[in-house]
Amino acid sequence: MPELPEVEVTRRIIEPLLCGRPLREVVVSKPSYFFLTPPAALRRALKGRTIERLERVGKYLLAAMDNHQRLLLHLGMTGQLFSSNAHSPRLLSATARATLAPEAQSAFAPDLHTHLCFHFVDGGPSVFFRDVRKFGKVRLLGVNEKDPRLEKLGPDALSIDGQTLRQAGAKRKTPIKALLLDQGVLAGVGNIYADEALSIARVRPARPAQKVTRTEWEGIAAAVRQVLARSIETGGSSISDYLRPDGKDGGYQDERRVYGREGEPCKACGALIERMVIATRSSCYCPRCQR
Ligand SMILES: [Zn+2]
């Protein structure tokens, strides 16, 4: 599932492709739970408009248009936002891939999972939003219209500080891992980077938040900022469906300390990484380095 780094990398690469180019038309798929605004209304509203800015709020993208309406986009579990110039075999479903010759497998044409196709007046590369499982979302927000999804988000995880985390968690019995996943406490962290940050901070994911020391809160906040910044630098984590909008894979998956490494040796001490379930999410940690 795309977390803050993957959404930020997507934003940085897709922004120059999406912004400042008048839209000729936006082709939409059939009505489904992907569309919070009905697809036909979306198509009418976007025709002829120009997107001026693309911002990130937590794991959401917000495209501001020339008429001050905004488009809220969420990648969900399997959402991919990319250029028609992108080439990657992972842009095709396994069944579609199997029918093609190896040299044709990287070409992409919009398929039934492509819910939004942005085509531009200038005739240059189109932008596609594809989402196989449709947990992604798109909603048109009117001028000054607010969305409850954005209203309830805490401060952005890229700039989180120890004091903010401590204030949110100091009196709570909830495991520290669950606190980091709470988007109302800090926005943008999901399972991968919560595990990675707790590994850097040497705190076990199951530790009740109220047992975290003042020094550790500072360490956890610094680790969250560090791991997110490093992942953005490497292009994000391409673990399941995520790929960069230019079709390339991210690089952070090769640097993982604990996430998805159950049974493998800790890179610091050699102890085997263990896994437990916290708040229904799988959590990996080193039993020796993390206390
Ligand atoms: Zn270790």
Side-chain angles (χ1 to χ4, degrees), residues 8-18 242 244-246:
E8 178 61 20
V9 171
T10 296
R11 189 193 69 77
R12 291 181 186 183
I13 299 177
I14 215 75
E15 186 181 40
L17 284 165
L18 206 54
Y242 168 75
R244 303 179 357 160
D246 52 11

Side-chain angles (χ1 to χ4, degrees), residues 10 29 31 93 119 127 160 204-205 208 223 258 261 283:
T10 296
S29 60
S93 68
H119 300 297
V127 171
I160 195 69
R204 278 204 198 193
V258 290
R261 296 190 65 239
S283 300

Side-chain angles (χ1 to χ4, degrees), residues 16-186:
L17 284 165
L18 206 54
C19 297
R21 303 172 65 196
L23 285 159
R24 177 167 55 80
E25 74 168 324
V26 175
V27 177
V28 293
S29 60
K30 284 188 294 195
S32 68
Y33 50 86
F34 173 85
F35 292 99
L36 298 173
T37 300
L42 209 54
R43 196 182 62 228
R44 279 193 304 274
L46 292 172
K47 190 180 171 75
R49 298 257 68 92
T50 301
I51 295 170
E52 293 186 330
R53 288 187 315 283
L54 187 63
E55 290 163 1
R56 181 187 58 76
V57 184
K59 302 180 199 172
Y60 292 89
L61 288 172
L62 208 47
M65 297 193 285
D66 52 353
N67 63 352
H68 304 294
Q69 291 187 331
R70 295 174 303 165
L71 200 59
L72 179 66
L73 301 162
H74 191 256
L75 297 174
M77 298 281 287
T78 55
Q80 301 167 321
L81 196 56
F82 57 97
S83 157
S84 60
N85 284 345
H87 291 280
S88 168
R90 293 202 298 117
L91 284 169
L92 292 172
S93 68
T95 36
R97 217 157 37 220
T99 63
L100 297 174
E103 61 276 14
Q105 288 188 358
S106 70
F108 177 78
D111 59 4
L112 78 161
H113 303 299
T114 311
H115 305 296
L116 293 171
C117 304
F118 297 88
H119 300 297
F120 300 93
V121 172
D122 61 21
S126 300
V127 171
F128 301 129
F129 191 144
R130 182 170 184 269
D131 187 357
V132 172
R133 294 181 66 182
K134 286 193 289 203
F135 290 121
K137 291 283 170 271
V138 59
R139 181 184 174 195
L140 182 71
L141 292 170
V143 179
N144 295 327
E145 187 178 358
K146 294 191 162 116
D147 187 287
R149 293 165 192 80
L150 302 182
E151 294 301 302
K152 66 182 182 197
L153 294 178
D156 196 76
L158 259 188
S159 55
I160 195 69
D161 60 76
Q163 196 187 347
T164 305
L165 283 184
R166 188 164 60 85
Q167 278 169 356
K171 295 200 173 89
R172 290 170 65 181
K173 291 181 186 154
T174 183
I176 178 65
K177 166 78 182 275
L179 192 88
L180 294 181
L181 294 178
D182 183 342
Q183 302 299 298
V185 172
L186 73 169

Side-chain angles (χ1 to χ4, degrees), residues 245-258:
D246 52 11
K248 295 186 185 129
D249 279 351
Y252 187 78
Q253 65 281 0
D254 303 329
E255 298 188 8
R256 281 172 299 141
R257 301 163 61 100
V258 290

